Every structure is written in structure tokens, then in C-alpha cells.
Amino acid sequence: MRQRSKEEQWHQAVENAGQLPDYLYINGERVYDSSLQSIESVDPGSGRSIGAVPAGNRQSIEAAVVAARSALQGPWRDLPPRERGQLLWRVGEAIRADKARLALVETLDNGKPLKDAEVCVERCADYFCYYAGMADKLEGSSVPLGAGKVCFTEHVPIGVTGHIIPWNVPLNMIARGLAPALTCGNTAVVKPAEDTSMTALLVVELMEKVGIPPGVVNVVSGYGHEAGQALAEHPDVHHVTFTGSVATGKTVMSAAAQHIASVSLELGGKSPHIILDDADLDRAVPDIVRAVFANSGQICSAGTRLLVQKGIYNELLDRLTQASSKLTLGHGLDNKDLGPLVSAKQLDTVNGFATRAEARGIKFVSGGQPVHPEGFEQGFYFPPSIAMDVPVDDELANDEVFGPILSVISVDDLEEAITIGNNSDYGLAAGIHTRDINRALKFARGIDAGQVYINGYHGAGDTVPFGGFKHSGIGREKGLAALNAYYEIKSVVVTLC
Ligand code: NAD
């Protein structure tokens, strides 16, 4: 009886989501190309199909880049910057106004709980509004060269920008690169992740509804090795913004290098979260849980390596086990604490890490195996999992799982925590809990990470620069720093007669 009602609710939700995109979006038009294969969109919570998007190919990317190039020559780059900013502000408003539908589609396509999808819609809108205000403030400078010369600099758009998007927070990732790129007067081709293309296609239509000219933003769904590769390789794409794995980041960087395009790379992480013996555990415990299990652990900056000072190790482990056992898991529509993982493939990956760890003798004090919530047995669920006493050289302490597994490691002191924390190819984020400001700041100075949190992981938002050290990436997104990737500086030198 209960199962039937869940199924009915699911069908109702799919109906409420309305007609889902089954086209590419190029030059202001929906493009239906029957010669293309399609990629099925699967609801990770139920394992059922909700639709399909075209697998755009090299020719689709070519058409999108041609459209973006000609839109660049059109009114877009020459628009008075304030008008460009006003249009981008309206994009933000339109996204917010369509929150219910965008969030529902994101939940069905990506799996995240509906309340989290709603926050993603808000963040997506925030990016456009934040950068909209900068459109008319990108000022050049004047450089003194003596009495006989006048020299000034201008910010000039780079041209066509390519955006290759991952599946974990699609709406945020689309806006994070597009908003600063458009603010600076560039045009764009977006290649969403194959598992989660729906909301990118919906957002681009909203953009044009509020007046962004056709061709300024184009969306080509498709496979990474085909559409993504073609975009990174295209000689008319002058900057590639890529968010995804380190391995693909290297491929993208080398493709862009063939035509000297610049890149922004936001890659993976295995971020250390240090808990010293003077920490306020009442604050630390919920923070650790959020840091690692939010979005079912599918967050690049998740605090996945917990380095705990010896004296509080057992108490903290007990408290974490209790806290994680209270977390609820279920279909995104049921709005539990955790939703499913994005795909069967990701569930296999995460389960593989857990199974191999157990085979090596590592003990899970909670979770460690896939689960099958009633009514959604075919979904891709893995519970919040805590592995204790993980050896520092184990793969679970070093490799990015991108799922809800916390590796707990005991350390003697802050110095050892910093050494272990830095003994990684990654350097995206790091956190510490301590009541001692000196130890906190010593940690912030000593750790190789693009973003450091003291007594509260995450929560920096879209106005704070974000990006990685070492293999975690190149460049910074978010905040004013992100704009630097999207303009050239032209210096004009006048010799007076
Ligand atoms: P992925 O590298 O497999 O795919 C990312 C995107 O690249 C997808 O759109 C994919 O289709 C495309 N792609 C794949 N092969 C390509 C190729 N040869 N050329 C061009 N494009 C190609 O990564 P994923 O599995 O989608 O995402 C998970 C990874 O992303 C994790 O490592 C995670 O840490 C990272 N990530 C980082 C951030 C950040 O801000 N640093 C944010 C989210 C995710």
C-alpha cells in the first residue's frame, strides 16, 4: 500500500515537472537532430527514466561555437555595460521566479533532496545578480609614461568561452562560470554532464526570455569524450572553464593548450578536517557531519579526512557514530537528510572503496554498504559511513571517493595534522576546530588549501574566491577574483605630437 502511494507521488512529480528538454539549444533555438543518439536521464532515487537528451557531437559543438562567435560580433560585447548588468540581474530574477520547477527537475535528474535543490536554484540566481553589479565597474587604468605619452588600459572580452560542467551541483556550476563570463562581455557554449543536463537547457531558455540575445549562450548536451573534447579542442574557444575530475582536467588542459586557450580548472579534493583536543565538540560534531555528508558526500571540498587529536579520539568517534545514525536517507522528493548518489556508476565507485577497505581490515563504525529504502529499491543509495583508524597511506585516506565516507585518523598534535594534511596531491579546502586562535591561524598558514575554515566548515558562499592548490586546480572561481579569467587587458599607448 505504502509502496504504491510512493509510486503515485513519483509519477505526479514527473508530471508536475512538465515537458523535459529533449533538444540542444543553439543560437536561440531548440535543435532536434534525429541523427544524434540520445542519453537517457535516470532519476537516481528510483532508477527510472525521466527522459532523454541528445548526445551532441563535434558538428553540434561546431554549430554552437559559430553561433557564439557571431553573437560576440553582434550587440553583446558592445552593449553599454550597465545594460548588460541589468539583463544579467533579470536572469537571476527569472531563475528565482521559476524555483519550484527548476528544483523539482534538479531533484529528479540529480537525486538531491528537494530542499537542497531549492537552495541550488537560489545560489544559481545569486551568481547572476552578484556579477550583474560588476558589469559597469570593470575599469581600466592609466599608466604614467612621461610628458610625451598617454597610456591607458581597457578590459576586453576574451571571446567565446567553453564551460564543461560536472553532475554534483549542476545549477551552481553552470552559473558559477557563466555569470562572470557574460558580465565581461563574452559569449558561451555549455556542455553539461551527461547524467544531469536538464536544468542547463531550462536555464538558457530563461536567459533568452529576459532578453539575452540568441547565440550568447548555447547548450550542447553530450558525452565528455565527444562533445566535451570537441569543445576544449575548438580553436575558436579562447577560454575553457572546466569543473570535474583531475584526470579529465588534464585532458582538457592539454586540448586547450593546442590552441593556447586559457583554462580555469576546478578539480577534486581530499580535504583534511582537524579536530584538536580543546575543540568545542558540541559545535564540531554537527559541523563534521555536514562537512562530509552534505549532498551525499558528492562535494569537491567535502571534509573527508578527519584528523583527530588522540585525547578526544574515542569520545568524538562515539559522538559522530551517534550523530550519523540519526541522519535520514531517501528519495529526493521525500526531503530526507541525504538523497541517493547520482548514478549506478557512482554507487559502484563508492561501494568499491568501502568493500576494498573492509577487505584490508578497515572497520566501519557506521554504514559501509549500499542500502535500499522501501519503495525505491532500484535507486542508488549509500548511507553515511564512518571508517575508523584509517592508515595514512591507505587509498581511503588519500583518494577522492566523492560519496558519503568519512576516514578518521588519529594524530598526536597540530604539527602532525598539518604534515598529514599536506601529504596529498590535492589542496582544495581544509578545516580546523580549536578554541586557540594561535593554533587555528598556524594551521591556516601551514596548510596547502585554497579555502580554510576555522570552527565551521563550508558556508563561505559565492562572494569568496574558491579554487585549488596543487592538483585541485588552476584559477579561482566565485568572488571578484573569478572575473580575472574572463577578460584580456589591452594597453593603449599614445605618443603626443
Ligand atoms: P568528470 O571529469 O568525469 O566529468 C566532468 C565533465 O567533463 C562532464 O561534463 C564530462 O562529460 C566532461 N568530460 C569527460 N571527459 C571529457 C573529455 N575528454 N574532454 C572534455 N570533457 C570531458 O567529473 P565528474 O565525475 O562529472 O565530477 C566529479 C569530479 O568533479 C570530482 O573529482 C569532483 O571533485 C570534481 N568537482 C570539483 C569541483 C570544484 O569546484 N573543484 C566541483 C564539483 C566537482
Side-chain angles (χ1 to χ4, degrees):
M1 187 65 187
R2 190 160 174 269
Q3 181 166 343
R4 204 170 141 228
S5 108
K6 277 209 180 291
E7 189 156 338
E8 276 170 7
Q9 280 173 29
W10 185 85
H11 284 291
Q12 185 61 56
V14 173
E15 204 178 310
N16 292 347
Q19 205 210 330
L20 294 174
D22 54 355
Y23 42 78
L24 308 176
Y25 202 81
I26 299 175
N27 206 20
E29 290 184 0
R30 297 177 175 188
V31 176
Y32 298 90
D33 181 344
S34 58
S35 72
L36 297 177
Q37 292 181 330
S38 51
I39 305 175
E40 208 179 342
S41 297
V42 173
D43 162 29
S46 66
R48 297 181 197 129
S49 174
I50 55 163
V53 292
N57 58 18
R58 201 164 275 276
Q59 288 73 38
S60 323
I61 290 291
E62 179 62 31
V65 173
V66 167
R69 212 178 49 207
S70 77
L72 192 70
Q73 306 313 328
W76 186 244
R77 76 188 285 169
D78 295 330
L79 208 60
R82 178 158 295 180
E83 285 178 35
R84 194 159 59 227
Q86 284 164 344
L87 280 173
L88 291 171
W89 183 272
R90 271 186 239 145
V91 170
E93 287 181 326
I95 289 169
R96 245 185 272 283
D98 210 16
K99 178 158 104 178
R101 182 178 185 216
L102 285 171
L104 179 58
V105 174
E106 194 76 314
T107 288
L108 290 170
D109 202 19
N110 164 281
K112 65 179 78 259
L114 197 54
K115 57 183 170 9
D116 296 350
E118 285 168 359
V119 174
C120 290
V121 178
E122 289 287 344
R123 291 296 84 78
C124 177
D126 286 346
Y127 277 114
F128 286 101
C129 293
Y130 173 75
Y131 287 107
M134 283 306 295
D136 57 358
K137 296 171 193 69
L138 295 168
E139 297 170 354
S141 59
S142 104
V143 185
L145 290 180
K149 289 186 194 293
V150 173
C151 174
F152 61 92
T153 67
E154 286 186 328
H155 290 50
V156 179
I158 289 186
V160 177
T161 57
H163 302 256
I164 302 176
I165 314 288
W167 43 258
N168 61 336
V169 263
L171 279 164
N172 294 25
M173 297 296 145
I174 294 157
R176 190 167 88 174
L178 262 189
L182 299 181
T183 296
C184 294
N186 301 286
T187 59
V189 176
V190 180
K191 207 298 283 172
E194 32 282 75
D195 285 322
T196 56
S197 299
M198 296 282 181
T199 46
L201 287 154
L202 295 177
V203 164
V204 68
E205 285 191 277
L206 286 178
M207 297 176 85
E208 292 196 1
K209 263 192 201 146
V210 301
I212 303 282
V216 169
V217 183
N218 307 274
V219 178
V220 177
S221 52
Y223 290 108
H225 64 270
E226 196 170 8
Q229 184 80 29
L231 182 57
E233 279 176 1
H234 201 293
D236 291 333
V237 172
H238 299 305
H239 181 85
V240 183
T241 297
F242 171 80
T243 304
S245 61
V246 175
T248 312
K250 288 179 186 174
T251 308
V252 165
M253 191 173 177
S254 109
Q258 303 316 306
H259 56 284
I260 318 293
S262 50
V263 290
S264 303
L265 300 179
E266 293 289 357
L267 308 178
K270 188 77 187 178
S271 300
H273 198 177
I274 283 77
I275 316 298
L276 295 183
D277 54 9
D278 65 342
D280 176 349
L281 294 190
D282 290 339
R283 276 180 68 178
V285 169
D287 192 49
I288 297 164
V289 166
R290 256 195 319 275
V292 65
F293 297 136
N295 208 36
S296 295
Q298 302 166 117
I299 295 187
C300 50
S301 52
T304 50
R305 279 194 293 161
L306 192 71
L307 306 176
V308 184
Q309 202 166 4
K310 259 188 192 135
I312 54 163
Y313 186 89
N314 290 335
E315 183 191 350
L316 183 62
L317 199 60
D318 282 350
R319 290 175 68 161
L320 279 176
T321 310
Q322 277 179 36
S324 72
S325 72
K326 291 193 186 117
L327 294 174
T328 55
L329 177 89
H331 194 285
L333 294 171
D334 289 342
N335 254 334
K336 306 285 190 197
D337 296 316
L338 276 77
L341 299 177
V342 76
S343 62
K345 182 169 163 241
Q346 192 60 15
L347 178 60
D348 269 2
T349 304
V350 173
N351 192 30
F353 272 103
T355 310
R356 290 192 299 277
E358 280 195 310
R360 289 190 300 273
I362 291 174
K363 188 175 165 214
F364 280 86
V365 289
S366 74
Q369 284 180 5
V371 288
H372 307 282
E374 195 189 337
F376 294 113
E377 288 79 1
Q378 306 308 314
F380 317 130
Y381 296 93
F382 202 88
S385 304
I386 301 176
M388 64 181 285
D389 297 340
V390 178
V392 289
D393 56 354
D394 193 86
E395 70 165 4
L396 209 51
N398 292 289
D399 294 357
E400 186 183 43
V401 176
F402 223 54
I405 298 185
L406 179 67
S407 301
V408 189
I409 297 164
S410 159
V411 293
D412 285 335
D413 51 27
L414 176 63
E415 284 64 34
E416 190 188 8
I418 294 175
T419 305
I420 295 174
N422 282 340
N423 188 18
S424 167
D425 285 340
Y426 293 115
L428 192 55
I432 187 166
H433 273 267
T434 173
R435 287 185 168 99
D436 181 344
I437 188 67
N438 292 305
R439 297 211 285 175
L441 291 178
K442 200 170 167 193
F443 172 74
R445 283 263 165 89
I447 200 79
D448 299 333
Q451 204 160 74
V452 180
Y453 314 107
I454 297 172
N455 293 333
Y457 207 93
H458 282 147
D462 52 356
T463 62
V464 181
F466 178 78
F469 284 27
K470 303 191 277 189
H471 290 197
S472 288
I474 293 179
R476 291 292 175 269
E477 296 206 84
K478 305 188 181 183
L480 300 183
L483 292 163
N484 297 336
Y486 295 106
Y487 56 77
E488 304 278 14
I489 292 182
K490 182 182 281 186
S491 307
V492 179
V493 183
V494 184
T495 303
L496 301 176
C497 325

Coordinates of all heavy atoms in Angstrom, one line a residue, residues 164-168 173 176 191-194 223-225 228-229 242-245 248 251-252 266-269 300 400 402 428 466, ligand 1:
I164 N 32.5 23.4 -19.2 CA 32.3 21.9 -19.1 C 31.9 21.6 -17.6 O 32.7 21.9 -16.7 CB 33.5 21.1 -19.5 CG1 33.8 21.5 -21.0 CG2 33.3 19.6 -19.4 CD1 35.1 20.9 -21.6
I165 N 30.7 21.1 -17.4 CA 30.1 21.1 -16.1 C 30.0 19.7 -15.5 O 29.8 18.7 -16.2 CB 28.6 21.6 -16.3 CG1 28.6 22.9 -17.1 CG2 27.9 21.8 -14.9 CD1 29.1 24.1 -16.5
P166 N 30.2 19.5 -14.2 CA 30.0 18.2 -13.6 C 28.6 18.0 -13.1 O 27.7 18.9 -13.3 CB 30.9 18.3 -12.3 CG 30.8 19.7 -11.9 CD 30.6 20.5 -13.2
W167 N 28.3 16.8 -12.5 CA 26.9 16.5 -12.2 C 26.5 16.7 -10.8 O 25.4 16.6 -10.4 CB 26.7 15.0 -12.5 CG 27.8 14.1 -12.1 CD1 28.8 13.5 -12.9 CD2 28.1 13.6 -10.7 NE1 29.6 12.8 -12.1 CE2 29.2 12.8 -10.8 CE3 27.5 13.8 -9.5 CZ2 29.8 12.2 -9.7 CZ3 28.0 13.2 -8.4 CH2 29.2 12.4 -8.5
N168 N 27.5 17.1 -9.9 CA 27.1 17.1 -8.5 C 26.2 18.3 -8.0 O 25.3 18.1 -7.2 CB 28.4 17.0 -7.6 CG 29.3 18.2 -7.8 OD1 29.3 18.8 -8.9 ND2 30.1 18.5 -6.8
M173 N 27.1 25.1 -10.7 CA 28.3 25.1 -11.6 C 28.1 25.8 -12.9 O 29.0 26.4 -13.4 CB 28.7 23.6 -11.9 CG 29.0 22.8 -10.6 SD 30.5 23.5 -9.9 CE 30.1 23.2 -8.2
R176 N 28.2 29.5 -11.9 CA 29.5 30.0 -11.4 C 30.4 30.4 -12.5 O 31.2 31.4 -12.3 CB 30.1 28.8 -10.6 CG 31.3 29.1 -9.8 CD 31.6 28.0 -8.8 NE 32.4 27.0 -9.4 CZ 33.0 26.0 -8.7 NH1 32.7 25.8 -7.5 NH2 33.8 25.1 -9.3
K191 N 28.6 22.7 -21.9 CA 28.5 21.2 -22.1 C 28.2 20.7 -20.7 O 29.1 20.5 -19.9 CB 29.8 20.6 -22.7 CG 29.6 19.4 -23.5 CD 29.0 18.2 -22.7 CE 30.0 17.5 -21.9 NZ 29.4 16.4 -21.0
P192 N 26.9 20.4 -20.4 CA 26.6 19.9 -19.1 C 27.0 18.4 -19.0 O 27.3 17.8 -20.0 CB 25.1 20.0 -19.0 CG 24.6 20.2 -20.4 CD 25.7 20.6 -21.2
A193 N 27.0 17.9 -17.7 CA 27.4 16.5 -17.5 C 26.3 15.6 -18.1 O 25.1 15.9 -18.1 CB 27.6 16.2 -16.1
E194 N 26.7 14.4 -18.6 CA 25.8 13.5 -19.3 C 24.6 13.1 -18.4 O 23.5 12.9 -18.9 CB 26.4 12.3 -20.0 CG 27.7 11.7 -19.4 CD 29.0 12.5 -19.7 OE1 29.1 13.6 -19.0 OE2 29.8 12.1 -20.5
Y223 N 28.3 13.5 -24.5 CA 29.3 12.7 -23.8 C 30.6 13.6 -23.7 O 30.9 14.3 -24.7 CB 29.6 11.4 -24.4 CG 28.5 10.4 -24.3 CD1 27.7 10.1 -25.4 CD2 28.2 9.9 -23.1 CE1 26.6 9.2 -25.2 CE2 27.1 9.0 -22.9 CZ 26.3 8.7 -24.0 OH 25.3 7.8 -23.8
G224 N 31.3 13.4 -22.6 CA 32.6 14.1 -22.4 C 33.6 13.9 -23.5 O 34.2 14.8 -24.1
H225 N 33.8 12.6 -23.8 CA 34.9 12.3 -24.8 C 34.6 12.8 -26.2 O 35.5 12.9 -27.0 CB 35.2 10.8 -24.8 CG 34.0 10.0 -25.3 ND1 33.0 9.5 -24.4 CD2 33.6 9.6 -26.5 CE1 32.1 8.8 -25.2 NE2 32.5 8.9 -26.4
G228 N 32.4 17.2 -25.1 CA 33.3 17.9 -24.2 C 34.7 18.1 -24.9 O 35.3 19.2 -24.9
Q229 N 35.2 17.0 -25.4 CA 36.5 17.1 -26.1 C 36.5 18.0 -27.2 O 37.5 18.8 -27.4 CB 36.9 15.6 -26.5 CG 38.3 15.5 -27.1 CD 39.4 15.4 -26.1 OE1 39.1 14.9 -25.0 NE2 40.6 15.8 -26.4
F242 N 36.5 24.5 -16.7 CA 36.2 23.0 -16.5 C 36.1 22.7 -15.0 O 37.0 23.1 -14.2 CB 37.3 22.2 -17.1 CG 37.2 20.7 -16.7 CD1 36.3 19.9 -17.4 CD2 37.9 20.2 -15.7 CE1 36.1 18.6 -17.0 CE2 37.8 18.8 -15.3 CZ 36.9 18.0 -16.0
T243 N 35.0 22.0 -14.6 CA 34.9 21.5 -13.3 C 34.7 20.0 -13.4 O 33.8 19.6 -14.1 CB 33.8 22.2 -12.5 OG1 34.0 23.6 -12.5 CG2 33.7 21.7 -11.1
G244 N 35.5 19.2 -12.7 CA 35.4 17.8 -12.8 C 36.6 17.1 -12.2 O 37.3 17.7 -11.3
S245 N 36.9 15.9 -12.7 CA 38.0 15.1 -12.1 C 39.4 15.6 -12.6 O 39.5 16.3 -13.6 CB 37.8 13.7 -12.4 OG 37.8 13.5 -13.8
T248 N 40.2 14.1 -16.1 CA 39.7 14.8 -17.2 C 40.2 16.3 -17.3 O 40.4 16.8 -18.5 CB 38.1 14.9 -17.1 OG1 37.6 13.6 -16.8 CG2 37.5 15.3 -18.4
T251 N 43.2 16.2 -19.5 CA 42.9 16.1 -20.9 C 42.4 17.4 -21.5 O 42.8 17.8 -22.6 CB 41.7 15.0 -21.1 OG1 42.1 13.8 -20.4 CG2 41.5 14.7 -22.5
V252 N 41.5 18.1 -20.7 CA 41.0 19.4 -21.2 C 42.1 20.4 -21.3 O 42.2 21.1 -22.3 CB 39.9 19.9 -20.2 CG1 39.6 21.3 -20.4 CG2 38.7 19.0 -20.3
E266 N 38.7 23.5 -11.9 CA 38.2 23.3 -10.5 C 38.1 21.8 -10.4 O 37.2 21.2 -11.0 CB 36.9 23.9 -10.3 CG 36.9 25.4 -10.3 CD 37.6 26.1 -9.1 OE1 38.0 25.3 -8.2 OE2 37.7 27.3 -9.1
L267 N 39.1 21.2 -9.7 CA 39.2 19.7 -9.8 C 38.8 19.1 -8.4 O 38.0 19.7 -7.7 CB 40.5 19.3 -10.3 CG 40.9 20.0 -11.6 CD1 42.3 19.7 -12.0 CD2 40.0 19.7 -12.7
G268 N 39.3 18.0 -8.1 CA 38.9 17.2 -6.9 C 39.5 17.7 -5.6 O 40.3 18.6 -5.6
G269 N 39.3 16.9 -4.6 CA 39.9 17.2 -3.3 C 39.8 16.0 -2.3 O 39.1 15.0 -2.6
C300 N 33.2 18.5 -4.0 CA 34.6 18.5 -4.1 C 35.4 18.9 -2.9 O 36.4 18.4 -2.6 CB 35.0 19.4 -5.3 SG 34.3 21.0 -5.2
E400 N 40.0 10.5 -3.7 CA 38.7 11.1 -3.6 C 37.6 10.1 -3.8 O 37.6 9.4 -4.9 CB 38.6 12.2 -4.6 CG 37.3 13.0 -4.5 CD 37.2 14.1 -5.5 OE1 37.5 13.8 -6.7 OE2 36.8 15.2 -5.2
F402 N 34.2 10.8 -3.4 CA 33.0 11.5 -3.9 C 31.7 10.8 -3.6 O 30.9 10.5 -4.4 CB 33.2 11.7 -5.4 CG 32.8 13.1 -5.8 CD1 33.4 14.2 -5.3 CD2 31.8 13.3 -6.8 CE1 33.0 15.5 -5.6 CE2 31.4 14.6 -7.2 CZ 32.0 15.7 -6.6
L428 N 42.4 21.6 -2.0 CA 41.2 22.4 -2.3 C 40.7 23.1 -1.0 O 40.6 24.4 -1.0 CB 40.1 21.5 -2.8 CG 38.9 22.2 -3.5 CD1 39.4 23.2 -4.6 CD2 37.9 21.2 -4.1
F466 N 37.3 30.9 -4.6 CA 37.4 29.4 -4.4 C 38.2 28.7 -5.5 O 38.0 29.0 -6.6 CB 35.9 28.9 -4.3 CG 35.9 27.4 -4.1 CD1 36.0 26.9 -2.8 CD2 35.6 26.5 -5.2 CE1 35.9 25.5 -2.6 CE2 35.6 25.2 -5.0 CZ 35.7 24.6 -3.7
Ligands
NAD1 P1 34.4 14.2 -14.9 O1 35.7 14.7 -15.0 O2 34.1 12.7 -15.2 O3 33.4 15.0 -15.8 C1 33.2 16.4 -15.7 C2 32.7 16.9 -17.1 O4 33.8 16.7 -18.0 C3 31.5 16.2 -17.6 O5 30.7 17.2 -18.3 C4 32.1 15.2 -18.6 O6 31.2 14.9 -19.7 C5 33.2 16.1 -19.2 N1 34.3 15.3 -19.8 C6 34.6 14.0 -19.6 N2 35.6 13.6 -20.5 C7 35.9 14.7 -21.2 C8 36.9 15.0 -22.2 N3 37.8 14.0 -22.6 N4 37.0 16.2 -22.7 C9 36.2 17.2 -22.2 N5 35.2 17.0 -21.3 C10 35.1 15.8 -20.8 O7 33.9 14.5 -13.4 P2 32.6 14.2 -12.7 O8 32.6 12.7 -12.4 O9 31.4 14.7 -13.5 O10 32.7 15.1 -11.4 C11 33.3 14.6 -10.3 C12 34.6 15.3 -10.1 O11 34.4 16.7 -10.2 C13 35.2 15.1 -8.8 O12 36.6 14.8 -8.9 C14 35.0 16.4 -8.0 O13 35.9 16.7 -7.0 C15 35.1 17.4 -9.1 N6 34.4 18.6 -8.8 C16 35.2 19.7 -8.5 C17 34.6 20.9 -8.1 C18 35.4 22.1 -7.8 O14 34.8 23.2 -7.7 N7 36.7 22.0 -7.5 C19 33.2 21.0 -8.1 C20 32.4 19.9 -8.4 C21 33.1 18.7 -8.8

